[in-house]
């Protein structure tokens, strides 16, 4: 298929582009490069030997997006483009709602006009709020007690897609609720390249290990977990990318929702130790106060995706730490070398 991959120059996007190409699909990357680099797309071409068409556009700008796509043919869409920093979303709520919702609305209108019915949407486990039980399955309530505009925008986008499909029964939409993406392609040529201070745990740890940051702040050690620190379901980005391709290739009319996670929980300190083992470097840390909005534990029950998408994670935390270290140590300045 010819797949329009929005946000395809980003962390998840670049890895998904590579897997799509390896599975025989053609990729068109739509990105505004506000939080990503053309170099990532160039490296996907280097790794795959394929040419990747780039469409530079702000998807939330209806006129700009429509004119940029006017002469671009595609059969399916994987929609990853959006703003995703939880803390920033609290400070800039209207920007987050405008960008994240308008981009989805513009895209759905274009798809309907062109009768393109294969639509994969990047959602997030954050829509579950503070979990009532764990591991979390797709029947768990969503959109309850969310603590930030980023999370709300993901939940609202899911509702927009569900309502669009009711009005357009031919649409096949898959909502993929990511748990915690980590790691990098084993080549070390593409990876996570956060701008500024990393919000997420593993890229921050990687920057401590490489000497870019002095120490890790561990946000709380008094949770009801194995060692008091937060527990999350870390999924290797290559497993996540493969999950997108599985969703694309299994898509049928209707709306399907899947958790993409490993089903295994790891605490902050377990991740620190795993990274020290993988890198051979110390990761000094200090226990700080809990981060507002954090929950104790978020772990997936991925069994629905395992059966219906015939997909499961095959890479573990140790491999994710090795690949993350390989990327970080080989690209200390990310794509801005
Ligand atoms: C993981 C754990 C922190 C940083 C968020 C979004 C989610 C998705 C992934 C986009 C927690 C602890 C972290 C640090 C720490 N993003 N931590 N020190 O909050 O589970 O999920 O990112 O799709 O939607 O909500 O991920 O990596 O920020 O935190 O102690 O410097 O690490 O408290 O327990 P989170 P995270």
């Amino acid at each position: 298929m010819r797949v329009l991959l929005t946000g395809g120059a980003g962390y998840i996007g670049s890895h998904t582009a590579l897997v799509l190409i390896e599975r025989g699909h053609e990729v068109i990357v739509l990105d505004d490069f506000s939080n990503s680099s053309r170099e990532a797309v160039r490296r996907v071409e280097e790794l795959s030997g394929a040419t990747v068409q780039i469409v530079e556009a702000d998807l939330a700008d209806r006129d700009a997006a429509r004119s940029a796509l006017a002469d671009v043919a595609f059969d399916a869409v994987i929609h990853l483009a959006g703003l995703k920093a939880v803390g920033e979303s609290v400070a800039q709520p209207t920007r987050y709602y405008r960008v994240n919702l308008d981009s989805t609305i513009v895209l759905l209108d274009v798809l309907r006009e062109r009768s393109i019915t294969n639509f994969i949407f990047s959602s997030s486990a954050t829509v579950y709020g503070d979990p009532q039980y764990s591991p979390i399955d797709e029947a768990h309530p969503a959109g309850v007690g969310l603590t930030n505009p980023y999370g709300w925008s993901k939940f609202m986008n899911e509702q927009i897609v569900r309502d669009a499909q009711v009005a357009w029964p031919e649409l096949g939409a898959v909502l993929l609720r990511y748990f915690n993406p980590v790691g990098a392609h084993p080549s070390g040529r593409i990876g996570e390249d956060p701008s500024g201070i990393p919000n997420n745990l593993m890229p921050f740890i990687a920057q401590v290990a490489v000497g870019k940051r002095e120490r890790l702040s561990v946000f709380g050690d008094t949770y009801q977990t194995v060692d008091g620190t937060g527990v999350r379901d870390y999924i290797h980005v290559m497993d996540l990318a493969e999950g997108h391709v599985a969703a694309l290739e299994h898509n049928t009319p209707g709306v399907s929702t899947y958790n993409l996670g490993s089903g295994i929980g790891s605490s902050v300190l377990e991740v620190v130790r795993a990274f020290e083992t993988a890198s051979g470097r110390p990761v000094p840390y200090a226990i700080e106060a809990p981060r507002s909005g954090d929950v104790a534990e978020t772990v997936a029950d991925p069994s629905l995706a395992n059966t219906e998408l015939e997909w499961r994670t095959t890479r573990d935390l140790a491999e994710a730490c090795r690949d993350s270290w390989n990327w970080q140590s080989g690209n200390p300045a990310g794509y801005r070398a």
Side-chain angles (χ1 to χ4, degrees):
M1 286 182 256
R2 278 176 60 81
V3 182
L4 180 71
L5 182 61
T6 77
Y11 172 42
I12 313 296
S14 53
H15 290 81
T16 302
L18 190 54
V19 174
L20 281 165
I21 294 166
E22 287 169 351
R23 294 281 178 81
H25 300 288
E26 208 175 322
V27 173
I28 304 115
V29 163
L30 185 151
D31 210 302
D32 66 1
F33 298 104
S34 60
N35 190 26
S36 56
S37 163
R38 283 177 176 271
E39 176 62 13
V41 181
R42 197 197 64 74
R43 295 193 187 184
V44 168
E45 291 184 319
E46 167 200 297
L47 289 166
S48 64
T51 301
V52 178
Q53 182 182 350
I54 290 179
V55 176
E56 182 167 359
D58 172 3
L59 200 50
D61 178 337
R62 175 179 291 274
D63 295 339
R66 293 168 72 90
S67 58
L69 288 171
D71 304 325
V72 179
F74 50 93
D75 318 300
V77 175
I78 297 179
H79 179 34
L80 310 179
L83 301 173
K84 63 157 197 144
V86 170
E88 186 182 60
S89 78
V90 175
Q92 303 174 28
T94 52
R95 175 172 172 243
Y96 265 67
Y97 287 125
R98 183 185 63 76
V99 171
N100 287 0
L101 303 185
D102 283 1
S103 60
T104 304
I105 292 165
V106 167
L107 206 47
L108 287 168
D109 286 345
V110 168
L111 266 66
R112 182 151 195 191
E113 286 157 16
R114 299 189 186 188
S115 302
I116 296 168
T117 58
N118 194 332
F119 180 70
I120 311 299
F121 176 68
S122 162
S123 188
S124 168
T126 203
V127 302
Y128 292 118
D130 191 353
Q132 293 168 14
Y133 55 83
S134 183
I136 303 168
D137 62 9
E138 291 81 356
H140 185 288
V144 177
L146 304 193
T147 59
N148 58 79
Y150 162 76
W152 277 116
S153 74
K154 285 297 184 185
F155 178 71
M156 292 171 182
N157 265 322
E158 289 193 0
Q159 191 55 47
I160 289 167
V161 172
R162 279 189 283 267
D163 291 340
Q165 197 278 331
V166 169
W168 179 26
E170 296 80 8
L171 178 64
V174 184
L175 309 174
L176 298 178
R177 291 172 175 173
Y178 305 171
F179 281 68
N180 289 64
V182 290
H185 186 263
S187 68
R189 296 292 291 153
I190 55 176
E192 188 168 13
D193 184 21
S195 52
I197 300 172
N199 298 303
N200 297 134
L201 180 66
M202 190 164 290
F204 198 104
I205 288 176
Q207 290 190 7
V208 172
V210 83
K212 195 171 177 180
R213 307 271 169 208
E214 192 181 331
R215 69 168 174 277
L216 169 73
S217 299
V218 175
F219 298 143
D221 67 347
T222 56
Y223 290 107
Q224 297 299 312
T225 62
V226 59
D227 58 20
T229 63
V231 169
R232 296 293 184 274
D233 184 327
Y234 296 99
I235 174 173
H236 196 295
V237 67
M238 290 305 292
D239 283 326
L240 187 61
E242 290 167 4
H244 286 77
V245 181
L248 186 81
E249 295 174 350
H250 284 75
N251 202 353
T252 54
V255 179
S256 307
T257 304
Y258 298 105
N259 291 336
L260 293 191
S262 69
I264 296 163
S266 301
S267 76
V268 173
L269 294 183
E270 286 168 340
V271 177
V272 168
R273 278 193 289 278
F275 208 94
E276 289 181 325
T277 301
S279 64
R281 298 286 184 86
V283 176
Y285 65 84
I287 304 293
E288 312 281 347
R291 184 170 61 177
S292 69
D294 268 359
V295 299
E297 175 171 325
T298 301
V299 174
D301 170 351
S303 50
L304 197 62
N306 298 159
T307 49
E308 293 188 7
L309 297 183
E310 298 175 281
W311 165 91
R312 64 182 55 252
T313 56
T314 59
R315 301 161 178 91
D316 63 9
L317 180 65
E319 188 167 346
C321 290
R322 279 199 304 275
D323 292 336
S324 175
W325 174 243
N326 188 31
W327 153 255
Q328 179 68 63
S329 54
N331 302 272
Y335 293 117
R336 289 173 287 277

